[in-house]
């Protein structure tokens, strides 16, 4: 069903049992958190049915490994929530739901090169966050990451708390950032992830409360007090291991860090970064991470389950012989060389109440017009406003919309000063094509 674009300002809904849905340009946006990123095909078909019946049939894949159902009317929130709860994707209340921000490497059990299959650890952490009321005061965007390494590792994903596998039984625990930039604390056993996470969350809440300006993210807290101060507070919250060797194992931090602290998995080879690795599944991506309910339902007929990745892609597990043909028929991206992967765009007009241009149409027109010239850049970002929700950082080429026109700039963030201003969508596309020509020829 199609919903009219609401005129009221963006606001949060109050649907019980769900992280407050956000009202945007095409209705309510409802986030579906999938534990460990594992979505059985029958559940996918049911979710596609809900998106088609109650929403506008559009589904987004988020960079946090979630599904987002779009265009849900206010009277559709309750039946959708009830159906998601029956499938195990919604917990008891909004506070429990809000803290379930766990990103898991999507190739657990599919990648023989990974040190550890982290699906169970991620599920256990997800459940602990929901059940542990002491953690319900964490900021809404406070995130956790559980990475098994291997082909589908998450070394480049930035988050608040990282658990990165270094062997079959231990995680490297670090705070605030990517694997390279996060502050390392030590190692914990896989069986102790939930207990360690609970202590980490409580330490964060206690320490931030002591600051005059409480930090909302772990990186800010570590910058304010230092990793050593955090580790000292953490140690007081974790009981020392008994003589038998049980417990969390933090008494061996120094020795274990000497052995494993510098461990770093190889760079990912899955879409959109590449296809050099081999996993037991078929990777398919979508322009801007968006697909339709019909596409999700069609793909569900070709596999036994999906793995939701943070790279605007799905892994089809146990794909049928015709999976690639069906995916291609529904507009999926099947190769890491597809130029549409160079394009980033927010929802734009119709999907956001502040957007004034069709950002997706503009981006796809650039892909068609610029052609092979896109091979010379890393990213072209089309932003519906100066906030840059899809990519607030610098891109090689950035188009920022305002009042139905675009400003175009090189090596800029949305809203930065631009030498090319007030361009119609068609003129902006032409200007980008010219800019890319100049860049590739050195003019």
């Amino acid at each position: 069903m199609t919903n009219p674009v609401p005129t009221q300002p963006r606001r949060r809904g109050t649907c019980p049992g769900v992280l407050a849905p956000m009202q945007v340009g095409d209705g309510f946006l409802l986030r579906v958190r999938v534990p460990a990123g594992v979505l059985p095909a029958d559940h996918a078909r049911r979710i596609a049915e809900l998106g088609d019946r109650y929403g506008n049939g559009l589904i987004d894949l988020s960079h946090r490994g979630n599904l987002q159902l779009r265009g849900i009317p206010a009277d559709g929130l309750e039946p959708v929530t009830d159906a998601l709860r029956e499938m195990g994707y919604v917990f008891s209340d909004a506070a429990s739901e809000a803290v379930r921000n766990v990103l898991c490497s999507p190739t657990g059990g599919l990648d023989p090169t990974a040190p550890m299959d982290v699906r169970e650890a991620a599920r256990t952490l997800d459940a602990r966050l929901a059940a542990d009321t002491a953690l319900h005061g964490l900021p809404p965007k406070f995130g956790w990451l559980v990475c098994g390494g291997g082909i589908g590792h998450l070394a480049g994903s930035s988050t608040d708390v990282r658990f990165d596998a270094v062997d079959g039984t231990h995680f490297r625990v670090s705070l605030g950032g990517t694997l390279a930039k996060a502050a390392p604390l030590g190692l914990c056993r896989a069986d102790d992830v939930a207990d360690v996470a609970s202590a980490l969350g409580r330490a964060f809440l206690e320490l931030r409360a002591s600051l005059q300006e409480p930090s909302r993210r772990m990186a800010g807290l570590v910058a304010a007090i230092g990793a050593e101060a955090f580790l000292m507070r953490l140690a007081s919250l974790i009981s020392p291991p008994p003589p038998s060797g049980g417990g969390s194992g933090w008494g061996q931090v120094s020795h274990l860090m000497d052995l494993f602290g510098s461990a770093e998995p190889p760079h990912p080879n899955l879409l959109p970064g590449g296809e050099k690795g081999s996993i037991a599944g078929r990777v398919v991506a979508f322009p801007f991470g968006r697909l339709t309910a019909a596409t999700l339902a069609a793909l569900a007929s070709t596999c036994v389950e999906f793995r939701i990745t943070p790279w605007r892609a799905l892994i089809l597990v146990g794909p049928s012989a015709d999976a690639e043909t069906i995916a291609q028929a529904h507009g999926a991206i099947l190769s890491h060389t597809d130029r549409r992967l160079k394009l980033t765009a927010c929802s734009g007009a119709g999907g956001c109440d502040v957007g004034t241009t069709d950002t997706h149409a503009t981006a796809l027109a650039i892909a068609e017009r610029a052609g092979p010239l896109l091979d010379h850049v890393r990213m072209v970002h089309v932003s519906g406003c100066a906030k840059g929700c899809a990519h607030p950082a610098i891109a090689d080429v950035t188009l920022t919309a305002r009042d139905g026109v675009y400003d175009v700039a090189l090596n800029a963030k949305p809203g930065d000063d631009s030498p090319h201003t007030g361009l119609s969508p068609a003129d902006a596309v032409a200007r980008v094509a010219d800019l890319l020509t100049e860049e590739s020829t050195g003019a």
Side-chain angles (χ1 to χ4, degrees):
M1 59 183 291
T2 301
N3 299 301
V5 177
T7 57
Q8 57 266 48
R10 177 179 298 195
R11 61 182 177 84
R12 296 282 183 176
T14 57
C15 184
V18 182
L19 175 65
M22 178 180 291
Q23 187 165 17
V24 293
D26 53 355
F28 280 101
L29 183 150
L30 193 62
R31 183 179 294 110
V32 183
R33 290 178 169 85
V34 180
V38 179
L39 181 65
D42 59 336
H43 286 189
R45 283 189 287 269
R46 178 63 175 140
I47 290 173
E49 179 186 343
L50 294 172
D52 193 47
R53 178 179 178 184
Y54 294 101
N56 59 13
L58 296 178
I59 299 175
D60 290 338
L61 303 175
S62 80
H63 289 292
R64 287 299 169 185
N66 300 315
L67 296 176
Q68 295 180 162
L69 304 182
R70 302 191 64 95
I72 308 290
D75 59 3
L77 291 174
E78 185 172 355
V80 173
T81 300
D82 289 343
L84 292 173
R85 184 180 292 110
E86 290 177 4
M87 289 185 283
Y89 299 116
V90 175
F91 280 68
S92 58
D93 54 53
S96 297
E97 194 69 17
V99 294
R100 295 177 53 226
N101 300 315
V102 181
L103 181 62
C104 177
S105 49
T107 53
L110 304 176
D111 175 14
T113 71
M116 187 191 304
D117 180 350
V118 296
R119 288 175 293 175
E120 186 58 33
R123 291 188 181 106
T124 301
L125 174 57
D126 184 273
R128 180 63 170 270
L129 292 171
D132 192 340
T133 57
L135 303 180
H136 291 179
L138 289 171
K141 293 185 178 181
F142 193 94
W144 310 79
L145 181 151
V146 183
C147 180
I151 295 171
H153 79 79
L154 305 173
S157 296
S158 182
T159 192
D160 292 282
V161 178
R162 303 184 63 93
F163 294 94
D164 290 279
V166 294
D167 61 14
T169 58
H170 290 92
F171 285 106
R172 174 185 189 261
V173 185
S174 55
L175 307 179
T178 63
L179 181 62
K181 295 182 178 180
L185 292 185
L187 298 192
C188 78
R189 299 187 314 173
D191 291 344
D192 298 320
V193 163
D195 290 338
V196 171
S198 178
L200 287 165
R202 285 181 282 138
F204 172 83
L205 290 171
E206 291 179 14
L207 289 168
R208 76 185 289 263
S210 67
L211 300 179
Q212 185 174 0
E213 296 183 6
S215 302
R216 297 189 61 81
R217 304 304 295 268
M218 184 65 82
L221 179 65
V222 172
I225 69 171
E228 286 298 323
F230 190 97
L231 187 57
M232 290 179 61
R233 184 69 192 103
L234 180 66
S236 69
L237 295 172
I238 298 180
S239 300
S244 62
S248 64
W250 283 76
Q252 299 296 320
V253 166
S254 297
H255 172 63
L256 289 174
M257 285 303 292
D258 288 341
L259 294 177
F260 299 112
S262 62
E264 183 174 344
H267 295 290
N269 289 323
L270 294 177
L271 284 169
E275 294 174 326
K276 298 177 183 178
S278 176
I279 58 169
R282 184 66 171 95
V283 184
V284 296
F286 305 89
F288 324 114
R290 175 168 293 178
L291 65 159
T292 66
T295 296
L296 183 62
L299 292 177
S301 69
T302 71
C303 63
V304 297
E305 73 180 26
F306 294 99
R307 300 293 179 85
I308 304 173
T309 84
W311 310 303
R312 303 185 301 184
L314 295 171
I315 301 174
L316 313 184
V317 180
S320 61
D322 60 350
E324 182 173 337
T325 299
I326 291 175
Q328 193 166 30
H330 283 81
I333 296 172
L334 302 176
S335 170
H336 72 280
T337 62
D338 192 303
R339 297 182 183 111
R340 290 174 292 174
L341 291 171
K342 297 287 187 76
L343 305 169
T344 300
C346 62
S347 295
C352 174
D353 46 20
V354 299
T356 60
T357 62
D358 188 338
T359 52
H360 287 193
T362 300
L364 292 174
I366 290 171
E368 183 176 352
R369 176 75 179 269
L373 299 177
L374 280 174
D375 296 338
H376 297 276
V377 300
R378 292 163 297 177
M379 179 187 294
V380 174
H381 179 200
V382 183
S383 182
C385 71
K387 290 191 299 182
C389 296
H391 183 72
I394 292 173
D396 298 287
V397 183
T398 297
L399 289 74
T400 305
R402 53 180 179 83
D403 300 323
V405 297
Y406 287 107
D407 298 339
V408 179
L410 289 174
N411 300 314
K413 297 182 294 186
D416 281 355
D417 291 338
S418 168
H420 313 285
T421 62
L423 302 178
S424 70
D427 288 342
V429 171
R431 177 73 281 202
V432 171
D434 290 342
L435 286 171
L436 294 180
T437 300
E438 294 166 5
E439 285 289 294
S440 65
T441 60

